[in-house]
Amino acid sequence: MIDYRHSRQSQTGVTHILTHHFTTPAWFEIQKRHILKYTNQEKTPYKVWVGKYNLELPEDFELPEHWELIDLDILYPKEDKNEHYLQMEWMYRNCVRKHMRDNDIIIFMDSDAFPCNSSWLPLICYGFNSKKCDVFYLHEAPRNPEYGKYDAHPDLFFFASTRKIWEGNNLEWFIDHTNREHSNPGHGLYDKIVESDLMVTSMIRTNVFNAHNAMFGVYGNMIYHQTCGSRAII
């Protein structure tokens, strides 16, 4: 495994992309193909952490040199709940963070989300380097009219920050079950962002044509999100 911690990097360091595949293997190759096509390892160094749960890797799927598999079927504690957000938190804490420096970027990404424009990562790096934002996420179309202030909450399908910001402000994906407004782990994270007075950059949906108000979304003409990709092959 390549040790990125001691290599010379730009101001923001290495980008660590943490993704989680479960239920269906349909997105492994699709996501890999788009990340490789639209992300330049030399200009914006990155590493991809591929989490998988309750499925097998396709026989013909190959991990590039700067990609690493996290097999949750083997590593994830059997006594812990198999919630998506809890597994993402577990992978970050136990597998990813020890390979990061403070100025490295962490990106949480759904299995059915991926870049579709080569400017995606340079733009995120610019936002952090220029101090124009502390966290970066995509504003998906409202899915619940009762979300209220949580309408523009961050979501696991795509969220970026640096390790220093994430850990320095105790950010985490969580649901406060004593809060009746909380129905998504992004709501708990949103509260932490507000409490810490962090600068947020959100990217809105830029579809020219919408076949669905939430599915098949393109954001900022840079990131595609299928939505429900792990619940059904669509």
Side-chain angles (χ1 to χ4, degrees):
M1 183 179 67
I2 300 173
D3 187 351
Y4 289 92
R5 292 173 298 172
H6 305 295
S7 56
R8 296 181 62 187
Q9 308 297 346
S10 60
Q11 185 177 342
T12 48
V14 175
T15 296
H16 294 257
I17 302 169
L18 176 58
T19 184
H20 187 355
H21 294 253
F22 57 97
T23 306
T24 174
W27 297 97
F28 279 115
E29 193 63 41
I30 297 172
Q31 186 179 63
K32 184 182 85 169
R33 184 168 67 247
H34 283 80
I35 291 176
L36 290 175
K37 180 177 181 179
Y38 293 109
T39 316
N40 189 312
Q41 179 67 254
E42 294 184 1
K43 293 182 178 179
T44 50
Y46 70 97
K47 180 176 177 65
V48 180
W49 302 84
V50 183
K52 79 167 189 69
Y53 180 72
N54 197 29
L55 55 77
E56 297 298 327
L57 284 174
E59 292 185 2
D60 59 349
F61 182 77
E62 297 181 0
L63 288 169
E65 182 181 11
H66 51 286
W67 294 47
E68 184 165 342
L69 178 68
I70 303 175
D71 193 339
L72 293 169
D73 292 317
I74 297 174
L75 300 174
Y76 191 66
K78 302 301 181 184
E79 65 274 12
D80 288 1
K81 293 182 179 180
N82 62 351
E83 295 282 353
H84 179 200
Y85 75 97
L86 294 176
Q87 291 183 336
M88 289 291 266
E89 279 280 347
W90 186 90
M91 287 191 290
Y92 172 75
R93 291 195 306 270
N94 294 279
C95 302
V96 179
R97 68 179 301 274
K98 61 187 176 183
H99 298 283
M100 296 181 68
R101 299 181 299 182
D102 280 350
N103 65 333
D104 284 356
I105 296 171
I106 176 66
I107 295 179
F108 297 92
M109 184 186 294
D110 269 358
S111 61
D112 60 344
F114 41 80
C116 54
N117 187 312
S118 59
S119 63
W120 80 281
L121 191 50
L123 176 66
I124 291 173
C125 291
Y126 170 77
F128 293 138
N129 286 334
S130 62
K131 309 299 182 184
K132 293 182 181 296
C133 69
D134 297 313
V135 298
F136 184 103
Y137 59 86
L138 310 187
H139 183 191
E140 199 163 39
R143 289 159 293 177
N144 187 333
E146 298 180 358
Y147 273 167
K149 70 176 183 179
Y150 295 115
D151 171 44
H153 70 272
D155 195 284
L156 274 162
F157 83 86
F158 192 94
F159 179 92
S161 190
T162 64
R163 173 178 165 168
K164 181 177 182 179
I165 293 296
W166 182 266
E167 298 191 1
N169 294 279
N170 298 312
L171 300 184
E172 62 176 323
W173 301 97
F174 76 99
I175 297 175
D176 181 357
H177 294 286
T178 66
N179 186 338
R180 293 184 178 181
E181 294 184 274
H182 276 210
S183 60
N184 182 294
H187 296 171
L189 177 56
Y190 176 86
D191 286 344
K192 291 269 191 178
I193 291 171
V194 172
E195 290 170 7
S196 300
D197 195 27
L198 298 179
M199 293 183 291
V200 174
T201 294
S202 61
M203 187 177 291
I204 63 172
R205 187 179 177 102
T206 52
N207 289 45
V208 174
F209 169 77
N210 283 292
H212 188 274
N213 69 335
M215 298 179 66
F216 321 121
V218 177
Y219 298 84
N221 295 318
M222 292 192 298
I223 302 294
Y224 175 81
H225 184 218
Q226 176 85 357
T227 308
C228 297
S230 294
R231 295 177 176 84
I233 300 177
I234 300 174

